[in-house]
Amino acid sequence: MTSVLAPSRTYSSPQLSARETEILREWLLCDSKSEAASRLFVTAATVSTHISRIRDKYMRVGRPAATKTSLLVRALQDGVVSIDEL
């Protein structure tokens, strides 16, 4: 019998910078880009720019993430955030 919780796939993870990871985590844990920006002491435009670059990096490794939900799934798969944090 196969465990339902055991990962069955290997994913290619994009090489996110420490700042990209920080911004991605904060944005996923907030309700909006402006809230994340406020917590990180940057503008919402800066958050948007980083999120766009993160999406591009996921696209380049064959794991598109066009929505916040799909980016959350990628972040969970890659261990950027855990379900307990949400």
Side-chain angles (χ1 to χ4, degrees):
M1 177 176 227
T2 305
S3 172
V4 175
L5 300 177
S8 60
R9 297 181 187 186
T10 303
Y11 298 100
S12 295
S13 297
Q15 296 298 314
L16 301 181
S17 70
R19 186 62 169 166
E20 287 170 334
T21 300
E22 178 182 26
I23 287 177
L24 176 58
R25 285 179 49 79
E26 197 64 46
W27 179 61
L28 290 171
L29 299 173
C30 291
D31 290 330
S32 67
K33 289 177 183 172
S34 50
E35 182 182 350
S38 176
R39 290 182 183 193
L40 294 167
F41 304 103
V42 297
T43 67
T46 298
V47 173
S48 292
T49 298
H50 280 284
I51 297 302
S52 179
R53 289 179 184 160
I54 291 165
R55 284 191 169 115
D56 287 344
K57 288 182 177 188
Y58 271 104
M59 181 68 78
R60 285 196 299 269
V61 296
R63 296 171 63 206
T67 65
K68 188 171 186 175
T69 301
S70 60
L71 203 48
L72 172 60
V73 169
R74 302 293 177 248
L76 286 166
Q77 290 168 335
D78 294 342
V80 174
V81 294
S82 71
I83 200 76
D84 294 333
E85 295 176 273
L86 302 173

